Amino acid sequence: MEDKKPKIDACFSPFLYPVYKDDNSIVVIIDVLRATSAICVAFEYGVEKIIPVATVEEAREYKQKGFLVGAERNGLPLNGFDFGNSPFNYMGDHVKGKTIVLTTTNGTQAIEAAKNAYKVAIGSFLNIDSLCNWLIKENKNILLLCSGWKNKFNLEDAVFAGAVTDKISQGNENYKLGDGCLALKYLYQLAKENPNKFLSHSSHKERLAALNLKEDVRYCLTPNQTKVIPIYKDGALVKM
Ligand code: 3SL
């Protein structure tokens, strides 16, 4: 007999997305350090739309047309654009009511990979509770898509995917957990006491610390700074 329970699973890299995708899943894009955190902050501060693009060339074309553009590669903001990828770049009235174009090393690549999914939402520690409450209400299959680093697994996105799995499945027998998200749920149980410490030797945390971005890391790991849930609709991210 067919199992009618909705499923949750986690995909460790955009490279593996074609293996995991199905037509009925809500895909949660995860790049907690830092793209999906910066996106949540921008919507909290009233941005109207974010157009994610995969390449710097596309971003440049938008810039030439007069758009505000955020562009990051390898953790650094690119010259000639308005913002980088730090959540602090998007805090303030300067983003209110604006359309911003964004390209990042990994996060916008994951959005590009999943953009034709049934629904695409943006997840970060900053919006974790409202995201999980919404996902539970939707009662659909969930695929947690970790952006990783250049198609490789990374620890911080994995820990966040585990946190979402943990919250959604806690005391709730309604979901069938795939092995990917089950593994990450166990990982999160090791990390939850002190995620910052747990991640202290992770490659991306070290990379950002070398760029003097420890404050970004600390902020991005702080739960529930906003209730916004950005979703992808007609080629852009908008507030749900
Ligand atoms: O790749 C991304 O989307 C990033 O968030 C990378 S970084 O945090 O700016 O290094």
Side-chain angles (χ1 to χ4, degrees):
M1 210 170 75
E2 207 193 325
D3 192 347
K4 292 284 184 226
K5 287 181 175 184
K7 293 181 292 184
I8 314 182
D9 212 345
C11 171
F12 296 172
S13 138
F15 187 71
L16 289 174
Y17 178 70
V19 178
Y20 281 83
K21 75 172 183 181
D22 71 56
D23 291 339
N24 301 309
S25 288
I26 299 176
V27 177
V28 178
I29 307 291
I30 301 169
D31 185 3
V32 295
L33 300 179
R34 298 165 292 165
T36 55
S37 301
I39 291 168
C40 289
V41 166
F43 281 101
E44 172 65 19
Y45 279 83
V47 84
E48 186 166 320
K49 240 187 218 182
I50 295 181
I51 302 174
V53 296
T55 66
V56 176
E57 290 65 39
E58 287 168 275
R60 204 165 277 127
E61 280 168 26
Y62 274 104
K63 181 72 197 145
Q64 279 157 3
K65 288 183 200 154
F67 282 81
L68 283 174
V69 181
E72 166 275 335
R73 283 295 180 274
N74 299 316
L76 293 169
L78 297 183
N79 284 338
F81 295 97
D82 305 284
F83 312 102
N85 199 23
S86 168
F88 298 113
N89 293 170
Y90 298 90
M91 289 179 183
D93 277 352
H94 59 291
V95 302
K96 199 168 180 181
K98 298 284 189 330
T99 293
I100 293 177
V101 176
L102 182 65
T103 186
T104 71
T105 311
N106 308 291
T108 58
Q109 316 302 325
I111 297 171
E112 176 67 25
K115 68 182 183 191
N116 295 322
Y118 159 70
K119 278 185 190 175
V120 176
I122 298 295
S124 71
F125 283 104
L126 304 179
N127 70 345
I128 186 166
D129 278 2
S130 58
L131 174 74
C132 291
N133 292 338
W134 172 71
L135 288 169
I136 292 167
K137 272 196 214 123
E138 288 287 295
N139 198 36
K140 297 285 292 185
N141 292 346
I142 299 166
L143 181 61
L144 303 165
L145 175 54
C146 300
S147 299
W149 181 261
K150 298 186 179 176
N151 276 323
K152 293 180 180 162
F153 174 91
N154 80 15
L155 199 56
E156 68 274 9
D157 292 342
V159 166
F160 177 77
V164 171
T165 307
D166 192 57
K167 276 185 189 290
I168 290 181
S169 60
Q170 225 172 51
N172 183 350
E173 295 295 306
N174 195 29
Y175 285 91
K176 189 167 165 26
L177 307 192
D179 281 5
C181 72
L182 194 55
L184 300 189
K185 178 174 154 159
Y186 297 143
L187 182 75
Y188 172 68
Q189 282 159 1
L190 297 174
K192 71 177 173 193
E193 198 76 17
N194 188 343
N196 208 332
K197 188 162 172 221
F198 185 82
L199 293 170
S200 56
H201 296 298
S202 70
S203 57
H204 197 46
K205 193 167 178 246
E206 284 183 352
R207 196 176 291 123
L208 292 177
L211 296 173
N212 219 359
L213 295 169
K214 280 192 181 161
E215 196 45 34
D216 283 39
V217 174
R218 193 202 53 75
Y219 182 74
C220 292
L221 298 179
T222 311
N224 298 320
Q225 298 302 294
T226 177
K227 291 192 164 68
V228 299
I229 305 170
I231 53 160
Y232 188 79
K233 209 171 168 215
D234 302 329
L237 296 166
V238 292
K239 188 170 163 180
M240 188 163 55

